[in-house]
Amino acid sequence: MARAIMLQGTSSNVGKSVLAAALCRIFYHNGYRVSPFKSQNMALNSGATPDGGEMGRAQIVQALAAGVAPRVEMNPVLLKPTAHACSQVVVLGRPVGNLGAREYHGKFNQKLWSQVEGAYATLDREFEIIVIEGAGSPAEINLKEQEIANMRVAGLARAPVLLVADIDRGGALAAVVGTLELLEPREREMVAGIIINKFRGDRDLLQPALDFLENRTGKPILGVIPFIPDHGLPEEDSVVLEEAANQPTLPGEIEIAAIKLPCISNFTDFDALAREPGVNLRYIEKARDLGNPDLIILPGSKNTIGDLLWLRRQGLAAAIKNLAARGTPVLGICGGYQMLGQEISDPDQVETDAGQVDGLGLLPIKTIFQTTKATNQVRGVITGSGPFLEPLQGREVQGYEIHMGASTLCAGSPAFKITSRGGQSVAIDDGALAGEGLILGTYIHGILDNDFLRHRIITVLRARRGLPESPGVPDFMNEQERRFDALARQVAAHLDLERLGAIMGLERPLVGPGCGC
């Protein structure tokens, strides 16, 4: 049986996912076979496993930090919001339907508990340590009887719980005390320690508050983790987009406008782009803020038709079409690709009862939503023309697909040809081009993680503005490995690893990365 440790939060967005990734990396560097686990995750950022299952992006990142391939058992239940109080339910990598919050929390989620138990049992047999992440707060009284993500999971895994509080948002002491007060006595006993996260300032000035917490709760403070502004790991929650402030574009920079759709999904597609020097990535919700960017990106969406209608209501559809007519490049990925087409049909009401709606008319494709979902890791080659793709024809790209529609190319040539889908050799056209190659769409998520393609797009955009080529090409995937190590070092330096090891009953002492492990 594996040793387990569970991170629960005083609320959502306290930093559990990042801390779980850091712990996975710390245990990995200490020579353990380690796996992440989150029984139920609500997120619009997801990815595909090597065998074609869908799971939360955070657990994929945690698996990579642990040095293992992601698998759906690490996130057996994924909820993907499609509209207000409604989500698509994905169980062990496959969608099982769309449910409202009342229906899901009423009885349906209880039927999923056996799937959670089975998934955990599989990991328990194969790994030495399991790092478990809770969801929201364990003290949500209205949901406690039906929950399958917090204390019930801790009991299943025999896992001591570390309660994480975000001190940067204020009220951390009250949140810790209040959470513990609202737990049942047996649940309170399961909490083995407290982590104060996102701390800025002088630790000595905080010490009286830490002493108070330990005396009041009887729980030890295992660490005060500093605020890490640029940990560089993909975020899973669009809350980060609400908190991010757009910055003005400086001289020598190009400006890329990503449309912040109400149901935006997989905005991690743009992480590599945002880290490039000389690139200012802005998220846009209003037509008046669109300005005159060098590139417009329409991202993925979990409610493509709903978000397309929102674009029209906001005036963004007309603004995007006007800029495209004047030569501004436009890139659409997945749902954004579908929106750029001629029309979208939903005969089976997969997303909506709207039936058929007109797209933006910028790409020569027609899309029909289907009841089956494509979730695959893919490889392909560039076949398209135009300034972005033509010099790269024949080069291999990789990424993943997550979509419930099929698009038919009505004219012109595809942008890519998929040669491998889920490990199987195929020959399938993907994507479309228009506007002399400046308008581009594809189903391939992660397309911008391909360094050579991303750099080519940036080079073209800079040349159009009269700017010199940007310096260097960051190796995004290798940079991710360095970021895992850097994060683990920062967290380990502020975490009581000796006490953590004792809480977990580990036989050998834990050391931080770079400390002789």
Side-chain angles (χ1 to χ4, degrees), residues 8 137-141 144 151 163 178-189 191:
Q8 296 186 18
S137 163
E140 294 173 357
I141 302 301
K144 277 185 66 174
M151 286 301 180
L163 186 61
T179 298
L180 290 171
E181 285 293 324
L182 290 173
L183 295 179
E184 301 294 330
R186 63 175 181 82
E187 296 172 332
R188 201 174 302 127
E189 286 299 313
V191 178

Side-chain angles (χ1 to χ4, degrees), residues 332 336-337 340-342 360-366 432-434 439-442:
Y337 168 44
L340 290 176
Q342 305 297 316
L360 298 184
L362 296 178
L363 285 177
I365 62 166
K366 294 183 179 181
L433 295 156
I439 301 174
L440 166 64
T442 178

Side-chain angles (χ1 to χ4, degrees), residues 363-378:
L363 285 177
I365 62 166
K366 294 183 179 181
T367 298
I368 299 178
F369 284 155
Q370 300 171 328
T371 55
T372 56
K373 191 173 194 177
T375 56
N376 299 287
Q377 292 186 357
V378 298

Side-chain angles (χ1 to χ4, degrees), residues 298-299 304-305 308 311-312 317 320-321 324 330-345 356-369 406-411 431-434 439-443:
L298 272 175
T304 304
I305 290 178
L308 176 57
L311 281 178
R312 291 199 167 99
I320 292 169
K321 292 176 71 172
V330 182
L331 169 63
I333 299 176
C334 199
Y337 168 44
Q338 295 170 339
M339 293 181 205
L340 290 176
Q342 305 297 316
E343 66 181 34
I344 302 174
S345 300
Q356 179 177 306
V357 296
D358 290 336
L360 298 184
L362 296 178
L363 285 177
I365 62 166
K366 294 183 179 181
T367 298
I368 299 178
F369 284 155
S407 297
T408 301
L409 187 63
C410 304
L433 295 156
I439 301 174
L440 166 64
T442 178
Y443 274 119

Side-chain angles (χ1 to χ4, degrees), residues 23 29 107 123 141 167 198 222 267 296 336 401 407 517:
L23 288 180
H29 272 291
K107 292 182 178 179
L123 300 178
I141 302 301
I167 198 170
K198 305 183 187 180
L222 260 68
F267 58 85
I296 299 170
E401 301 173 306
S407 297
C517 60

Side-chain angles (χ1 to χ4, degrees), residues 25-48:
R25 196 63 164 189
I26 290 169
F27 293 131
Y28 168 73
H29 272 291
N30 277 265
Y32 289 102
R33 299 192 312 277
V34 56
S35 170
F37 183 76
K38 185 166 185 173
S39 61
Q40 173 190 284
N41 194 359
M42 176 175 280
L44 282 171
N45 282 344
S46 61

